[in-house]
Amino acid sequence: MTARKLLLPVLVAGFLCFPAKRAEAIDPVTIAILTPIAVKAARQASPYIIRSMRAGSAHLLKTGKHMLNIFLLPLGCVEMTLGAPLGMFGNGVDHAIHGVGAPFLLVYDVLCMPLAFCGLSP
């Protein structure tokens, strides 16, 4: 066996034999000392976090809209067939076109969502 093929079983065995240490509680004095530092860091980071949450939530709303627009395809097919004598053929074509494009827009927004939450919105 080459070294590359042997590396994965050795790593897996190492993780199974030597698990990570369990988290232990920090004493109250340390927490009292570190609290002001954590508050300052949170204040500095809050504008960036709020901006990324706004951008991510916009993609989240678009995703929900495109999920609902997927149902326009069967609605459009019904309007084009059964509603054609009632003058609904044009609406059916419009709904069917929006319903066909909705899954692609949904995939695009789902792929862009993590980028938007990181502040890299396209």
Side-chain angles (χ1 to χ4, degrees):
M1 274 178 108
T2 64
R4 183 176 265 177
K5 289 182 181 179
L6 188 61
L7 182 64
L8 182 63
V10 169
L11 287 175
V12 170
F15 283 121
L16 292 176
C17 293
F18 304 106
K21 287 188 173 184
R22 296 184 58 96
E24 296 178 12
I26 301 175
D27 60 309
V29 175
T30 307
I31 293 174
I33 292 170
L34 293 178
T35 300
I37 298 169
V39 170
K40 287 179 187 176
R43 281 191 186 133
Q44 288 179 349
S46 66
Y48 303 107
I49 292 171
I50 291 170
R51 183 174 38 193
S52 66
M53 294 304 269
R54 283 183 186 155
S57 63
H59 278 282
L60 195 62
L61 291 174
K62 288 181 190 176
T63 302
K65 177 185 163 196
H66 296 313
M67 284 176 64
L68 291 176
N69 282 346
I70 290 175
F71 295 111
L72 288 177
L73 179 61
L75 176 66
C77 292
V78 168
E79 286 177 342
M80 286 189 298
T81 55
L82 300 177
L86 302 173
M88 298 178 136
F89 186 78
N91 290 338
V93 171
D94 186 47
H95 288 153
I97 289 171
H98 282 81
V100 168
F104 300 107
L105 294 172
L106 175 68
V107 168
Y108 174 75
D109 278 330
V110 167
L111 291 176
C112 288
M113 197 180 315
L115 296 174
F117 277 117
C118 292
L120 304 171
S121 184

